[in-house]
Amino acid sequence: MEVSDYINSAKTFAEKAAKLSQKMSQGLVDNARELGFPGSESGAQYFDTSEEKMRNIKRQLDSKNDREKLDGLKRLIAMISKGRDVSEFFPDVVKNVVSQNIEIRKLVYIFLLRYAEQEPDLALLSINSFQKDLSDKNQIIRAMALRVMSGIRVPVISPIVLLGIKKCITDPSPYVRKTAAHAIPKCYSLDSSQKEALVEIIATLLKDRSNIVIGSTIMAFNEVCPNRFDLIHPCFRKLCSMLGDCDEWGQMSILNVLIRYGRSQFLNPNPNGEDESKVQPKKKAITNNKSFYSSDDSSVSDDDDQDQLDIEVIELDVDHELLLKSCIPLLQSRNSGVVLAVAKLFYYLSPASEAEKIAKPLIRILRSHREQSYVVLSNIAAMSLKRPYLFESSFQHFYTQSSEPVFIRDTKLDILTTIVTESNIHTLLGELQQYVKSPNKDFVAATIQAIARCATTVPTAADQCLRLLMKLLRSKNELVVAESVLVLTRLLQVPNVQRSKSVIALVKLLETLKVPMARANILWLVGQYAETLPHVGPDVLRQAVKNFVNEDNITKLQILTLSAKLICLNPDHSILNNLNQYLLNLARYDTDYDVRDRARFLRALTIPNQQEKAGLNQIKHHLKDILLSNKEAPVIESEANNSADYNIGSLSLLAHQPLPGYEPLPDFPEEQPDTSVRNVEELEGWSGSRTVVMESGFGSDSFDQRYRSSRFNSGSASTALSGVEAMGNSSMYSPSSATVKKKGNDYDLDAFYDESTDEEESSEESEEDDSEEESEEEEEGEEEEGSEEGTGSEEETDSSSEDERVPRKK
């Protein structure tokens, strides 16, 4: 090779290197501009709405350079985000729908979804390209085409969208099939007349073996045909088995469907009303003569056997028990929505004695954002109204903290006063006494209300609660005193001689208390105790009449009522009659019409008149029964009672009113429905729980043969891999693993919840090791026989290879 050739090749190499360097530097600048690094143009440039920039958009969209097209599209999307109408660029954008650049296509699709309704004719021009993209080699493009086509809100294209969905449900990619499932509700909302065809598509997708697809299919099921449980029958056991492998949103959808399915297909697990009792049930659900969730009879001791003689046996359906078992692992989910959905399922479908499993997981997810904590606490408050024993063991977890917002602290107070018992009432009252010192006025008022609820929840501690409230009357905070008076009025509204001293203590506060509502309550309470305390009422009335003109309207009304009560009890008392006459004259000219009406009404009942009518005499005859009627025992309820009738986990429970789309759960059937509808043959390719079909790439037949032959020494490849195997952790579910137990070809669910002792596990492991050693010896014998029957070429190659390795080692 001559020197000139070397020089030419070097020159060519230098030119290529210079071009590569220029290209790399341009790429770095572009990336820096997109990421907004210091010293580069940031993403804020796309929000520049100057006329010059807007005029350049058309030129950029018509450019042959993908970078300029991206800049133009990004400016349009930025304008859309600011609320500006850029529909004038619709024809220029539609032309780029056939671009080979995926980033350009994504932005074009976003633009089309925004303005397809305004420009339906131009949007239809892009349908052909979408239909063509449904056959693209790239699964992302196929899914994106269907997603955009189903998102164009033009009713004319609903048949085309339906055809696209039918095509994509047979796609080899689970991602595309999942997109097809998401497109079903969109097509249904676009044209509800296609419901029958969409139901058939959902029935087909429910047979899918991919856990990626099944969650989205259940979402479509909830939107289109939520009560078609005949579609759930054949795949019920598959759904239970796949729960752990689905994504979190899919798990919540599946759980909601299974709750409604269980309420309509299984018998009530609490036939004697244990789920409505506030007392912790002692009975345990036992199926097949062994303890619930136990797979080993030997784990039950002789003492337990003796105790179970007095326990009523509740037999659960096999599928009912399978559903409860399959949901237990999800209680450890990191998603609070999944945990709440499982708690809802156990609350409505499990025996009352087994519902305690949901308490600790719900307490765990309280350690999250305050919005999530409020939702969980609201559901706990609703659960504790009917079953307070569920959270008695977690009593201290509901103590409030000063850093928490008021709405969380109020909800915790509701829970504490609901689950309080005689054993922890003293601890709770000490805690509430500290809460009263809070600078937050609303929280202080809620705390005092909580003390009153404790008195009604635990009647044996009512006197202790009264003493604490009376102690709060000596507080220097007027708000604390006023709220305490309001609460004491409700607790003392039933006249009782033993509590007369508390009423006298409240009367003494009239000299210093300025809150109108509190003063009115004290005056009303004095009237209720007018017979019990005959000397207190007249003196209180005398003091009140002196300052009647300066009192608030609500207080004036109670002064008038007190005067009428005293006249009713002492009609011949001259001093009281004079006070009553003077008071009625003051009220006659009051500025408030309510006070004037009350005075006119009581004047006719308390002051004799010569021209009285017959009906008025009858009312006067029953005046004492009207004014001094006995009140019922006080019942102070929390706000959680307003939502007690709504389903756990529903938005209506948080809103305290039924919202659009809310449906109560169906009642349990009185007779057991046909259980044979779930006895169907295993779907083709379905090899037990937690199975995902892998069609191409990782998990394909070719890869599967290499993978399984090297890992498991299997001669034939299976087209179904478990979800863990698909991530490369096949050893977790390999047959050689001692932690996995099988029944035939299926995973044994009972083995995952086995409560056997360590000795039994070690014995089982030793037996498995012995069986494995025997199988290995048999395989080695078969291999030796096969090698003896084979040709001698392999022996020659082996010997030659050994000869080659020996001198290398030397």
Side-chain angles (χ1 to χ4, degrees):
M1 192 173 184
E2 298 180 359
V3 178
S4 60
D5 295 335
Y6 281 110
I7 294 174
N8 291 333
S9 60
K11 186 184 296 184
T12 304
F13 179 78
E15 292 176 355
K16 292 182 178 179
K19 291 181 180 179
L20 179 61
S21 176
Q22 184 179 3
K23 188 175 181 180
M24 292 179 62
S25 61
Q26 183 63 31
L28 290 174
V29 172
D30 294 339
N31 292 334
R33 182 175 60 186
E34 290 179 355
L35 297 175
F37 288 152
S40 64
E41 298 179 4
S42 63
Q45 61 173 328
Y46 299 115
F47 291 90
D48 186 2
T49 59
S50 61
E51 295 297 330
E52 181 182 358
K53 296 293 185 182
M54 297 302 292
R55 284 195 301 269
N56 291 335
I57 290 180
K58 284 191 176 183
R59 181 187 58 80
Q60 290 176 325
L61 294 176
D62 295 335
S63 175
K64 296 181 179 180
N65 188 353
D66 289 347
R67 178 63 60 183
E68 292 187 1
K69 289 183 180 180
L70 277 174
D71 288 343
L73 288 170
K74 287 179 180 178
R75 289 187 185 279
L76 290 179
I77 301 302
M79 294 304 102
I80 292 174
S81 66
K82 293 179 67 176
R84 182 167 177 175
D85 184 13
V86 291
S87 58
E88 57 182 301
F89 298 99
F90 195 91
D92 301 294
V93 175
V94 171
K95 293 187 297 185
N96 294 295
V97 77
V98 295
S99 175
Q100 298 299 321
N101 191 318
I102 296 182
E103 297 298 327
I104 293 178
R105 284 194 183 186
K106 288 181 180 179
L107 296 178
V108 171
Y109 291 161
I110 294 173
F111 189 91
L112 287 175
L113 290 175
R114 175 65 179 80
Y115 289 106
E117 292 186 17
Q118 298 181 14
E119 302 287 345
D121 296 334
L122 293 176
L124 293 177
L125 298 176
S126 59
I127 295 298
N128 292 333
S129 63
F130 292 146
Q131 289 180 296
K132 188 183 299 181
D133 289 343
L134 292 178
S135 302
D136 195 276
K137 295 181 180 179
N138 192 334
Q139 62 175 351
I140 297 179
I141 294 179
R142 297 198 301 271
M144 193 182 300
L146 179 61
R147 183 184 297 114
V148 178
M149 188 166 63
S150 62
I152 297 177
R153 312 297 298 169
V154 180
V156 181
I157 66 171
S158 59
I160 301 176
V161 176
L162 183 60
L163 292 175
I165 295 174
K166 289 182 178 180
K167 182 177 180 179
C168 289
I169 62 173
T170 59
D171 195 277
S173 171
Y175 179 70
V176 179
R177 299 199 299 273
K178 177 181 180 180
T179 306
H182 283 299
I184 292 175
K186 299 178 183 178
C187 184
Y188 178 69
S189 62
L190 195 63
D191 185 7
S192 58
S193 62
Q194 306 284 354
K195 181 176 180 178
E196 294 299 327
L198 294 175
V199 170
E200 294 179 1
I201 295 174
I202 292 175
T204 303
L205 286 174
L206 284 173
K207 301 176 183 178
D208 199 291
R209 297 165 293 182
S210 174
N211 53 11
I212 300 176
V213 181
I214 197 66
S216 302
T217 305
I218 293 297
M219 293 180 189
F221 174 86
N222 287 331
E223 293 290 335
V224 179
C225 50
N227 297 320
R228 286 288 303 274
F229 292 132
D230 56 309
L231 302 179
I232 304 296
H233 290 323
C235 61
F236 170 80
R237 293 168 184 169
K238 182 181 78 170
L239 291 176
C240 293
S241 302
M242 295 181 70
L243 264 177
D245 290 331
C246 294
D247 60 277
E248 295 168 344
W249 296 106
Q251 287 173 348
M252 287 187 282
S253 299
I254 294 173
L255 287 170
N256 288 330
V257 170
L258 292 179
I259 289 173
R260 291 188 286 110
Y261 182 86
R263 293 279 292 196
S264 61
Q265 300 298 321
F266 301 138
L267 295 177
N268 190 350
N270 303 289
N272 298 325
E274 296 89 345
D275 55 337
E276 299 292 337
S277 175
K278 293 186 177 182
V279 181
Q280 185 173 4
K282 297 181 180 180
K283 301 178 182 180
K284 296 182 179 179
I286 303 175
T287 307
N288 298 329
N289 295 326
K290 56 184 179 181
S291 60
F292 199 70
Y293 297 145
S294 177
S295 59
D296 192 358
D297 292 338
S298 61
S299 61
V300 182
S301 62
D302 295 338
D303 296 337
D304 294 338
D305 292 338
Q306 185 66 26
D307 294 339
Q308 289 180 1
L309 295 177
D310 299 331
I311 295 176
E312 181 180 352
V313 177
I314 302 175
E315 294 185 359
L316 294 180
D317 185 86
V318 177
D319 292 324
H320 192 172
E321 186 178 5
L322 172 65
L323 173 59
L324 296 176
K325 286 184 177 181
S326 301
C327 294
I328 291 179
L330 298 185
L331 289 173
Q332 306 301 323
S333 175
R334 62 181 180 180
N335 189 300
S336 57
V338 175
V339 177
L340 186 58
V342 177
K344 177 181 177 181
L345 187 143
F346 268 82
Y347 184 80
Y348 287 118
L349 293 182
S350 72
S353 58
E354 297 298 326
E356 295 182 2
K357 296 180 181 292
I358 66 177
K360 290 184 178 179
L362 288 175
I363 298 298
R364 174 178 61 85
I365 61 178
L366 288 177
R367 303 181 184 92
S368 59
H369 300 291
R370 61 181 190 176
E371 291 81 7
Q372 295 182 7
S373 299
Y374 174 70
V375 174
V376 177
L377 286 171
S378 299
N379 285 274
I380 291 177
M383 293 180 188
S384 60
L385 287 175
K386 293 184 178 180
R387 306 186 195 178
Y389 56 85
L390 292 178
F391 304 96
E392 285 181 5
S393 59
S394 306
F395 184 80
Q396 294 183 351
H397 289 280
F398 299 107
Y399 286 170
T400 64
Q401 300 177 4
S402 59
S403 59
E404 293 175 340
V406 176
F407 56 87
I408 288 183
R409 288 190 282 181
D410 290 347
T411 310
K412 284 188 174 182
L413 286 177
D414 291 342
I415 297 173
L416 286 172
T417 55
T418 304
I419 64 177
V420 65
T421 59
E422 294 182 2
S423 59
N424 52 30
I425 182 65
H426 305 290
T427 305
L428 178 59
L429 290 178
E431 185 74 11
L432 295 178
Q433 193 171 0
Q434 299 299 321
Y435 294 166
V436 176
K437 301 177 183 179
S438 172
N440 190 308
K441 296 181 180 180
D442 295 334
F443 180 62
V444 170
T447 302
I448 296 174
Q449 292 286 341
I451 296 174
R453 286 199 298 272
C454 289
T456 58
T457 304
V458 185
T460 56
D463 293 337
Q464 185 178 358
C465 295
L466 281 174
R467 288 195 297 271
L468 177 58
L469 291 171
M470 295 301 296
K471 183 179 179 181
L472 294 177
L473 294 177
R474 298 193 294 269
S475 174
K476 296 181 180 180
N477 189 339
E478 189 175 9
L479 174 66
V480 175
V481 176
E483 193 67 31
S484 301
V485 169
L486 296 179
V487 170
L488 282 169
T489 302
R490 298 194 62 183
L491 294 177
L492 299 173
Q493 66 183 15
V494 178
N496 189 342
V497 179
Q498 298 177 354
R499 296 178 178 177
S500 300
K501 294 183 180 179
S502 300
V503 178
I504 296 175
L506 291 176
V507 169
K508 294 178 180 179
L509 293 176
L510 287 173
E511 299 178 0
T512 57
L513 193 61
K514 302 299 181 182
V515 180
M517 181 61 72
R519 293 178 62 85
N521 276 269
I522 293 176
L523 291 170
W524 177 85
L525 194 62
V526 171
Q528 289 297 109
Y529 279 77
E531 292 183 287
T532 308
L533 301 173
H535 301 291
V536 175
D539 188 62
V540 171
L541 178 62
R542 179 182 61 81
Q543 297 286 346
V545 170
K546 290 181 181 180
N547 198 35
F548 179 82
V549 179
N550 300 324
E551 295 285 357
D552 195 84
N553 293 332
I554 189 173
T555 308
K556 290 179 181 179
L557 294 175
Q558 293 302 325
I559 293 174
L560 290 170
T561 305
L562 174 61
S563 177
K565 290 179 179 179
L566 294 177
I567 293 296
C568 178
L569 295 175
N570 304 282
D572 299 329
H573 200 290
S574 60
I575 298 178
L576 286 178
N577 285 321
N578 292 333
L579 280 175
N580 183 51
Q581 182 69 41
Y582 175 71
L583 183 63
L584 293 175
N585 290 334
L586 290 176
R588 182 178 182 180
Y589 301 101
D590 195 87
T591 57
D592 186 72
Y593 63 88
D594 287 334
V595 176
R596 295 197 301 269
D597 289 347
R598 177 73 62 88
R600 188 178 301 112
F601 168 70
L602 294 177
R603 179 185 293 274
L605 296 177
T606 57
I607 297 180
N609 191 355
Q610 296 179 357
Q611 299 178 355
E612 292 181 352
K613 296 181 180 180
L616 185 60
N617 290 328
Q618 293 181 359
I619 295 177
K620 286 184 175 182
H621 183 70
H622 298 284
L623 182 60
K624 182 177 180 181
D625 297 333
I626 295 174
L627 296 178
L628 296 173
S629 61
N630 293 327
K631 303 295 183 180
E632 296 181 356
V635 178
I636 303 177
E637 298 180 349
S638 63
E639 293 184 0
N641 288 302
N642 299 330
S643 58
D645 297 332
Y646 301 109
N647 293 342
I648 301 297
S650 64
L651 186 59
S652 298
L653 185 141
L654 298 177
H656 306 303
Q657 60 181 350
L659 299 178
Y662 171 79
E663 292 184 3
L665 290 176
D667 295 330
F668 285 102
E670 296 181 0
E671 297 181 359
Q672 176 65 54
D674 185 13
T675 60
S676 61
V677 293
R678 294 184 289 275
N679 297 332
V680 296
E681 296 181 359
E682 289 186 353
L683 299 176
E684 182 180 356
W686 178 257
S687 60
S689 63
R690 310 192 181 196
T691 305
V692 182
V693 175
M694 312 298 295
E695 289 84 358
S696 60
F698 186 85
S700 62
D701 292 343
S702 59
F703 182 85
D704 195 24
Q705 291 174 0
R706 298 194 303 271
Y707 182 79
R708 287 186 174 267
S709 61
S710 60
R711 292 292 184 95
F712 304 139
N713 296 324
S714 61
S716 60
S718 173
T719 59
L721 291 178
S722 69
V724 179
E725 291 172 353
M727 293 186 290
N729 297 328
S730 62
S731 59
M732 293 178 63
Y733 286 87
S734 63
S736 60
S737 176
T739 60
V740 177
K741 303 176 185 179
K742 287 190 173 184
K743 289 183 178 180
N745 295 325
D746 294 341
Y747 290 107
D748 184 10
L749 272 176
D750 292 337
F752 290 96
Y753 312 106
D754 191 7
E755 300 177 356
S756 58
T757 60
D758 295 338
E759 297 178 358
E760 293 169 344
E761 291 179 355
S762 61
S763 63
E764 290 176 358
E765 291 177 357
S766 62
E767 292 176 1
E768 291 180 359
D769 294 337
D770 295 337
S771 62
E772 289 178 0
E773 292 176 0
E774 294 176 0
S775 61
E776 289 176 358
E777 292 176 359
E778 293 176 0
E779 290 178 358
E780 290 175 359
E782 292 176 359
E783 290 177 358
E784 291 175 359
E785 293 177 1
S787 61
E788 292 175 358
E789 295 175 0
T791 59
S793 59
E794 295 181 357
E795 295 178 357
E796 294 176 358
T797 55
D798 293 339
S799 61
S800 62
S801 61
E802 290 176 359
D803 295 339
E804 291 175 358
R805 289 194 295 267
V806 171
R808 290 180 184 177
K809 293 180 181 179
K810 292 181 180 180

